[in-house]
Amino acid sequence: MVQAYILIQTEVGKAATVAETIAGITGVTLAEDVTGPYDVIARVEARNVDELGKLVIAKIQDVAGITRTLTCTVVHV
């Protein structure tokens, strides 16, 4: 299982809508609108890195109102 945090920038005024939409995507375990340089942070899970990439590119980045994402993969050292 691969887990990651997706840091998301949105169009002005779209954070709440984007967070709500993303929360409904399979593989997203949490999506919240936040303050700071990013507007939404989502925690996601996938079976492997390839599926993580597909989740981010094909589903999350396809949500209306998103302008940029940054994927931070969770590591256990």
Side-chain angles (χ1 to χ4, degrees):
M1 180 74 58
V2 177
Q3 299 173 327
Y5 288 94
I6 312 299
L7 310 179
I8 302 165
Q9 292 179 336
T10 69
E11 297 171 1
V12 174
K14 299 289 184 177
T17 304
V18 167
E20 184 179 332
T21 303
I22 288 173
I25 296 173
T26 301
V28 176
T29 60
L30 180 68
E32 297 184 299
D33 36 330
V34 296
T35 60
Y38 293 93
D39 304 305
V40 176
I41 295 178
R43 184 170 171 108
V44 300
E45 295 179 345
R47 287 189 304 196
N48 55 50
V49 174
D50 289 337
E51 287 196 12
L52 175 64
K54 290 175 187 175
L55 172 63
V56 173
I57 293 169
K59 294 184 180 176
I60 293 176
Q61 289 182 349
D62 196 42
V63 172
I66 292 178
T67 58
R68 179 172 292 180
T69 64
L70 174 66
T71 303
C72 303
T73 305
V74 174
V75 295
H76 301 282
V77 181

